[in-house]
Amino acid sequence: MGGAVSAGEDNDELIDNLKEAQYIRTELVEQAFRAIDRADYYLEEFKDNAYKDLAWKHGNIHLSAPCIYSEVMEALDLQPGLSFLNLGSGTGYLSSMVGLILGPFGVNHGVELHSDVIEYAKQKLDFFIKTSDSFDKFEFCEPSFVTGNCLEISPDCTQYDRVYCGAGVQKEHEDYMKNLLKVGGILVMPLEEKLTKITRTGPSAWETKKILAVSFAPLILPNHTDSGKSRIVHLPPVAVRSLQDLARIAIRGTIKKIIHQEAMSKNGNGLKNPPRFKRRRVRRRRMETIVFLDKEVFASRISNPSDDNNNSEDLEDDRQEEEETKPPELKPDPPVNFLREKVLSLPLPDPLKYYLLYYREK
């Protein structure tokens, strides 16, 4: 699946292409996509393909095409504080982007069939938290993953505000998926070769919308041949944050507000330099002459032989003027992690500073 947009040179260019093609339509989704580099979820030897709008699979590791993920993110209508369940959570790429929007008081759970993919997802999540400067621009709802078949979830599990299934669902499993939703919740899944959005509008009321045609590998049915018994999947508990963790969230939030206020005071209205206006050049144009003769109209284009040369000279003058007024190309300064800099400057014991920074390496 994929190939709907051109390949990008880097993650930002890929997102630019998805925006231009209207796969990414909201600011929250755009911010989440830009914050996490898709290439970080590829094995090193395959990273050259990371910014193509194509699915990627290696063994049990799988990533859907960027255009699919962006449609899914938009359809989920994510908001801070919601609960999310990812069925077939794979590498954790989608779950991590969702976590950036859910914020610290959301719930972010994933179920994945293959234990080796769970380990891969945990490694990628740890890498993102410890090394990415994007992490400090958000308050993150860290995903929790469990191993198991998503068709064997315990019937007494909690229901979720948002659910996504990353494998093809047949009609006989539609009701099973719907029952994972709270009233008012949204389920997005490939249902009979169509990416489908289902909104639960009441205890037994649903609204269904087909988004686009897709081709997903089907759900793997539970295998009971070993013992004849179902392996019940117990989802992670909805944990209450500790007072210590709540304090860290509050302190980081306060520091971010101070940084924002300082930036506003320093930059005023946000325009560091007044805009430069280019002087418009008045160009000589060829004139059309209309001649009236015995009630008939004859139109002819009369041009001065020197007009063509003058026009060429005007274009050359314009080009030179643009060259003269173009500001010199400057290499952008490396981005500064202002939150980190501010925390490290505080008169606090080092262990407390590192705790506020989630013990991050950068």
Side-chain angles (χ1 to χ4, degrees), residues 87 150-151 164-174 177 189-195 214-221:
L87 304 175
C150 67
L151 292 174
Y164 171 65
C165 181
V169 178
Q170 298 304 311
K171 197 68 178 175
E172 59 264 29
H173 295 125
E174 180 179 356
M177 296 294 177
M189 61 181 176
L191 180 64
E192 297 185 317
E193 304 299 314
K194 295 286 192 303
L195 189 64
V214 292
S215 177
F216 276 65
L219 283 171
I220 295 177
L221 300 178

Side-chain angles (χ1 to χ4, degrees), residues 2-231:
V5 301
S6 302
E9 292 293 326
D10 55 26
N11 195 66
D12 279 327
E13 190 171 316
L14 172 62
I15 308 313
D16 291 342
N17 294 339
L18 290 169
K19 277 189 66 182
E20 185 177 354
Q22 288 294 300
Y23 284 100
I24 292 177
R25 300 178 289 277
T26 59
E27 185 177 353
L28 274 178
V29 172
E30 178 185 352
Q31 289 174 348
F33 267 85
R34 291 195 189 279
I36 298 182
D37 195 321
R38 181 175 166 87
D40 290 342
Y41 287 77
Y42 274 67
L43 293 170
E44 193 66 37
E45 60 268 34
F46 300 102
K47 285 190 175 183
D48 288 346
N49 296 318
Y51 307 121
K52 296 177 180 177
D53 187 30
L54 297 172
W56 172 66
K57 192 175 191 311
H58 182 78
N60 292 327
I61 301 170
H62 177 262
L63 280 167
S64 293
C67 68
I68 300 296
Y69 280 135
S70 53
E71 284 287 3
V72 169
M73 291 278 285
E74 292 287 358
L76 286 169
D77 189 22
L78 297 161
Q79 301 166 34
L82 296 180
S83 56
F84 172 66
L85 176 62
N86 190 355
L87 304 175
S89 52
T91 65
Y93 173 64
L94 177 66
S95 292
S96 292
M97 288 195 292
V98 169
L100 297 174
I101 298 177
L102 297 182
F105 304 112
V107 174
N108 194 355
H109 293 163
V111 179
E112 169 56 43
L113 183 63
H114 304 287
S115 58
D116 59 326
V117 179
I118 290 275
E119 290 306 311
Y120 186 85
K122 289 179 178 178
Q123 292 171 14
K124 296 302 180 183
L125 175 62
D126 189 57
F127 178 81
F128 170 68
I129 292 174
K130 288 187 175 180
T131 67
S132 174
D133 277 335
S134 294
F135 178 82
D136 282 329
K137 297 176 184 177
F138 299 82
E139 291 300 338
F140 188 46
C141 183
E142 186 172 333
S144 298
F145 305 114
V146 295
T147 306
N149 190 305
C150 67
L151 292 174
E152 297 181 301
I153 293 174
S154 174
D156 60 353
C157 76
T158 184
Q159 293 176 317
Y160 291 79
D161 297 302
R162 301 291 186 267
V163 177
Y164 171 65
C165 181
V169 178
Q170 298 304 311
K171 197 68 178 175
E172 59 264 29
H173 295 125
E174 180 179 356
D175 288 342
Y176 172 90
M177 296 294 177
K178 286 178 176 179
N179 288 330
L180 297 170
L181 273 185
K182 294 179 181 178
V183 173
I186 295 174
L187 164 66
V188 178
M189 61 181 176
L191 180 64
E192 297 185 317
E193 304 299 314
K194 295 286 192 303
L195 189 64
T196 305
K197 175 180 179 178
I198 299 176
T199 304
R200 187 168 194 171
T201 57
S204 302
W206 316 86
E207 288 181 359
T208 301
K209 177 183 178 182
K210 305 293 185 181
I211 301 174
L212 75 164
V214 292
S215 177
F216 276 65
L219 283 171
I220 295 177
L221 300 178
N223 183 358
H224 300 154
T225 56
D226 295 339
S227 61
K229 294 183 180 180
S230 176
R231 300 181 181 89

Side-chain angles (χ1 to χ4, degrees), residues 242-252 355-356:
S242 67
L243 183 60
Q244 186 178 24
D245 202 19
L246 291 172
R248 172 165 62 184
I249 293 167
I251 292 169
R252 283 168 63 92
Y355 177 76
L356 289 174

